[in-house]
Amino acid sequence: MTTISLRDEAAGLLQELIRLDTVNPPGNETLVAEHLRRYLEGNGVSCELLARVPERANLVARIPGTGDGPRLLLLSHTDTVLADPGEWQIDPWSGELRDGQVWGRGALDMKGQTAASAVAIASLAREGLEPVGDLIFAACADEEVGAGFGLQWLVEEHPEAVRAEYCINEGGGDRLVLDGRAFWICSTAEKMSAPFELTVHGRSGHASRPGIADNALVKAAPLVERLGVFHDEPELGPEVAAFLRAVCGEVPDAAEAVAAARAVHPLAGDIVEPLLGTTLSPTMIEASQKRNVIPNRCEITVDCRILPGHTQDEVEAKVADHLQGAEYDLEWIEAQGGTGSPVETPLWDVVGSFVAEIEPEAQSVPLLLSGFTDSHWVRDAFGTVAYGFFPMRAMEAELAARLIHSADERIEVDDLELGVRFLRHAATALASLP
Ligand SMILES: [Zn+2]
């Protein structure tokens, strides 16, 4: 009998997952859930498929704990964004292995981590790992759209399936080299995504006689311009302060933070800039549906990202202040994320000890994510300590960031192997905690 390496096992599994089209919408994540179930059960890991509708199943697998030790959840999502084959060098669902990279939609976001997590729990099961607390693997549907089929639904309808003290998810693991020093980024908190719509009112009329109407589009124009130059009062949350301390050697004033980070490396400045306050980006506008009708209303959609610890009410007041008495109605569209986990935890020690093992001279640093992931569902529901960390060093972080949700997405097999190594390290380190 030949035994294949964990590296080849993860690459092969990822190729298979990419070939199952789970573009969301519509999702069809059951294809991946069933495939993972066959793989995991074949390795002695018990599985359950939990689904709100049959074609959108979530898979939860576990190695049961021998006692009441802390549970570790290896979390991932199985849906992907769409891909336009015309933009790609190769078929986005080929899963082709080329020059040490697996190509295809989802390779980075995030079937690579899904495959690595599955191989980690499968290999530990083969080796007879007996953790004190459960080791759980959850591959969830519907992260990219978030229409209530994935982790949100699991947390509400099957909380015992995914309840855990610790969770490792997507959203971090970048290796940055700044001024000759290496930093491994672990995301421990996320901004809140809270888009809103501003409606400006006017009076409709025939476009041939602009003088007697009150054009809502024209009234909205200066508001769009003002929103585009909004800068929040800068402040340093604990994660950004920790990042700056590591990178700059000290924590600068909030007002100086971007300049101080940029002085070390331009990339550090770019990272810090959106993390110092709430950001506003007007992205969509709607007014008249007819060329010859002056609109009586104009709706501006604004993408808004709020720092943890701040509320939508506060932002509403800041927007009013910034728009200097303009008349409009503001309506919030939704609010997601905006949660964080503390940094001084056993899971942080696991990240730190892993970095020390693979690159002793490097430093692990926490960071706030400007976007959000599924982590907030378990943080909110169970108080889970959830971090985003999937280490990558063969592919540069900047290239990876460019490929996510874009053409020619691919992952280095070296990074897949490193990911398996980290997840096994985390599971074995936490397995012995009482
Ligand atoms: Zn993702």
Side-chain angles (χ1 to χ4, degrees), residues 18 111 143 153 225 265 337 427:
I18 286 174
K111 286 177 173 171
E143 191 272 344
W153 178 81
E225 212 167 4
H265 195 285

Side-chain angles (χ1 to χ4, degrees), residues 11-151:
L13 182 59
L14 173 58
Q15 289 183 284
E16 292 161 10
L17 298 187
I18 286 174
R19 289 171 191 147
L20 301 169
D21 178 348
T22 50
V23 169
N24 182 13
N28 288 322
E29 297 91 339
T30 299
L31 294 171
V32 164
E34 289 283 9
H35 192 87
L36 287 169
R37 167 153 73 178
R38 277 191 298 277
Y39 166 76
L40 290 167
E41 287 183 346
N43 283 285
V45 185
S46 62
C47 296
E48 50 182 340
L49 254 54
L50 299 165
R52 194 177 126 195
V53 295
E55 60 278 15
R56 308 207 62 181
N58 302 281
L59 171 82
V60 181
R62 74 180 65 227
I63 299 178
T66 56
D68 285 339
R71 290 157 287 195
L72 172 64
L73 170 63
L74 306 180
L75 179 63
S76 63
H77 65 82
T78 54
D79 59 327
T80 71
V81 295
L82 54 74
D84 175 358
E87 293 177 351
W88 287 59
Q89 293 180 45
I90 61 171
D91 173 6
W93 295 279
S94 67
E96 194 174 313
L97 178 62
R98 185 193 277 191
D99 302 329
Q101 300 176 321
V102 178
W103 285 60
R105 174 55 83 225
L108 291 166
D109 184 16
M110 70 174 288
K111 286 177 173 171
Q113 189 170 346
T114 307
S117 300
V119 168
I121 191 172
S123 59
L124 290 168
R126 291 197 297 260
E127 292 162 18
L129 177 79
E130 291 188 340
V132 183
D134 293 3
L135 176 60
I136 310 164
F137 166 89
C140 297
D142 192 35
E143 191 272 344
E144 297 290 357
V145 175
F149 296 96
L151 186 60

